[in-house]
Amino acid sequence: MRSTVGRGTGTGADTVDRDPAIDLVRFICLALVVVGHSMMVSPVLRPDGTVTTENTLGDQDWFVPVIWIFMVMPLFFVTGGATGLQSWRRLKARGGTAAQFIRARLLRLLRPTTALLAAMVLGLSLARALGVDQQVVQLMATGAGMPLWFLAAYLAAQLNIPLLAALHARSPWLALGLLLGLVVAVDCLRGALPNLAYANLVFVWCAVQQLGFLAVDGWTSRLSRSGLLAIALAANLALGLVTGLGLYTGNMLVNLNPPNLTLVLLGVSQLAVMELARPVLAALAEVSWIGRLVAMAGSRSLTVYLWHLPLLGAMSGLLLLVPFPKPAAGTAEWWWSRPLVVLALVILLLPVAAAFGRMEDRTTPAPTIRCRPAVAGAAVVVVFIPVADAALSGLSLGLLAAGTVCFSAALLLLRGSPLGRRQPFRRRHGRRTIASGLK
């Protein structure tokens, strides 16, 4: 990964020297997530009036080998680690503190997420008041809230960047080895202690994020193309070995929650492949219409990610209530209807992005905003109380409401105050990128 990877962290000053190839990668990953979910969500109205969901894509015989290619979550964390580390280094060079970094990361993810939670609570409460079956409301709450697990894991990894960056500065390979050791230890003990497996929501993704740290320091840029190819092949051979021996399932969707060692191996492979494809990615990113599309989508990337499943679930549920042709899931007609579903979802996302996307806009972060470590720590605890409950108990309407309250309280804690003489914030505009939200 060249030295330009992930320079900048958002709009304005944060977009200085951004790597357009990385922004294109993130755009592709986000598009694959949206399209993939459109092929998974299949509400079914049973003869007895109950509603269930089917994962049509996951039920296909060819799904397991294909998901090895299209499981892009590790790549999100690799690129997020690169941009996060450089953001922390810039803030630290200007005299910023870890508490200020944590505050900025919390604010960037909590603002759009709190708006989503509040809208979901309002919408689902209205559905209950109108007589929608409790089972349907619960189903919608669970399905629509699925993107939140990724944000929780992503946030946990990002909040650890100051600590992990210090370990990385002392001994990069020892830091990565320590995280890998924790991942393997949790995997070995998850049979006896099932709840311990959720610790890998932190250890696995921090390890994958650490790969981005290595890339920022030029480790991948010093490798030849044959070296990168060898790393990609070795990672996939290791994946084949651990899954072939039955140590892990070959289904990467199952391996995703809670995550395990296979996701780290996949992250190594994806980093190497991304570096191999960099010349092509850079050329594509320079095409004017592609650059404009990536910039437009990037300015609202977190909004798209958060809202695509709630909108998809609501749209699918409404279709069950109207006399509209509904082909059975998995049939040829169903597959042919998927492009129309994706198009309808994009159309629905446009007004939502217009209404809520401004929450992704932000003023230039500065070390002049005071944030005491105790306040930052309290905000982290408040945020992860409902997150931990959701991981152990599952999502429900009540938990979504509790999450809204906790996230709102964290935002109040993080308001901060200027250091010294109050300076007016000036919103600085610059090129918006796919990293504006998920970074």
Side-chain angles (χ1 to χ4, degrees):
M1 192 175 293
R2 309 303 185 258
S3 60
T4 55
V5 167
R7 289 184 185 175
T9 58
T11 58
D14 290 343
T15 57
V16 175
D17 296 328
R18 284 211 59 86
D19 186 342
I22 296 300
D23 293 330
L24 178 58
V25 167
R26 290 195 173 200
F27 171 78
I28 293 171
C29 290
L30 183 61
L32 287 174
V33 169
V34 173
V35 172
H37 284 159
S38 300
M39 297 181 182
M40 291 180 177
V41 177
S42 302
V44 178
L45 182 62
R46 301 295 181 185
D48 60 359
T50 61
V51 177
T52 59
T53 58
E54 295 180 359
N55 184 344
T56 307
L57 183 61
D59 292 338
Q60 307 304 305
D61 294 335
W62 46 264
F63 174 76
V64 171
V66 168
I67 198 62
W68 277 41
I69 301 173
F70 293 104
M71 172 54 67
V72 295
M73 288 302 155
L75 200 51
F76 270 120
F77 282 86
V78 170
T79 55
T83 57
L85 178 62
Q86 292 188 333
S87 179
W88 163 239
R89 285 176 174 174
R90 282 194 306 275
L91 179 65
K92 188 177 179 182
R94 299 197 306 269
T97 65
Q100 290 166 329
F101 180 86
I102 290 171
R103 173 184 179 272
R105 282 299 187 264
L106 283 170
L107 287 176
R108 289 174 185 177
L109 290 178
L110 286 185
R111 285 167 177 161
T113 306
T114 304
L116 171 70
L117 292 179
M120 287 177 62
V121 170
L122 180 62
L124 293 176
S125 297
L126 180 61
R128 288 183 61 179
L130 293 176
V132 175
D133 187 83
Q134 172 65 28
Q135 177 208 20
V136 176
V137 172
Q138 174 60 42
L139 197 64
M140 292 180 66
T142 301
M146 281 178 58
L148 299 177
W149 78 261
F150 165 74
L151 284 185
Y154 192 86
L155 181 59
Q158 290 280 296
L159 295 182
N160 279 293
I161 282 179
L163 172 61
L164 295 176
L167 295 175
H168 176 80
R170 285 179 173 271
S171 179
W173 295 105
L174 180 60
L176 180 59
L178 175 62
L179 287 168
L180 287 175
L182 290 170
V183 169
V184 173
V186 170
D187 284 351
C188 291
L189 294 172
R190 68 168 62 197
L193 302 169
N195 286 338
L196 182 64
Y198 289 101
N200 268 348
L201 284 169
V202 177
F203 298 146
V204 164
W205 296 127
C206 281
V208 177
Q209 179 177 259
Q210 212 78 1
L211 298 175
F213 289 12
L214 292 173
V216 165
D217 287 346
W219 181 74
T220 52
S221 65
R222 292 191 292 268
L223 294 173
S224 64
R225 295 185 65 80
S226 59
L228 290 169
L229 181 60
I231 289 174
L233 289 175
N236 281 284
L237 285 174
L239 268 175
L241 180 63
V242 296
T243 56
L245 291 176
L247 301 177
Y248 300 93
T249 176
N251 190 327
M252 287 299 159
L253 197 62
V254 175
N255 288 330
L256 191 61
N257 191 23
N260 54 45
L261 180 65
T262 61
L263 278 304
V264 181
L265 295 173
L266 193 59
V268 172
S269 172
Q270 289 177 346
L271 172 59
V273 170
M274 182 178 68
E275 287 303 309
L276 284 169
R278 174 173 290 279
V280 176
L281 292 168
L284 288 174
E286 293 302 319
V287 177
S288 57
W289 70 267
I290 294 179
R292 289 194 296 269
L293 177 62
V294 170
M296 179 178 64
S299 67
R300 299 294 180 259
S301 58
L302 183 54
T303 302
V304 170
Y305 178 79
L306 286 171
W307 284 86
H308 78 278
L309 263 183
L311 291 175
L312 182 61
M315 178 176 64
S316 302
L318 288 175
L319 286 177
L320 293 177
L321 304 177
V322 298
F324 190 83
K326 292 178 280 291
T331 61
E333 293 81 3
W334 187 88
W335 285 108
W336 281 111
S337 70
R338 293 305 93 186
L340 293 177
V341 171
V342 174
L343 177 60
L345 180 57
V346 170
I347 292 173
L348 289 175
L349 280 168
L350 291 176
V352 170
F356 294 96
R358 287 188 175 276
M359 293 187 178
E360 293 191 55
D361 294 341
R362 53 184 179 271
T363 54
T364 303
T368 55
I369 297 297
R370 177 186 290 110
C371 183
R372 296 184 178 88
V375 172
V380 170
V381 171
V382 169
V383 166
F384 279 93
I385 287 174
V387 169
D389 195 358
L392 297 175
S393 306
L395 283 168
S396 64
L397 179 56
L399 189 54
L400 291 174
T404 306
V405 173
C406 288
F407 286 12
S408 299
L411 288 173
L412 289 175
L413 283 171
L414 295 169
R415 284 179 300 175
S417 60
L419 291 171
R421 187 168 60 89
R422 182 178 297 272
Q423 298 291 332
F425 268 116
R426 292 184 297 130
R427 190 177 301 277
R428 299 180 61 181
H429 297 283
R431 183 185 175 207
R432 292 173 178 173
T433 67
I434 198 67
S436 295
L438 300 178
K439 51 178 299 308

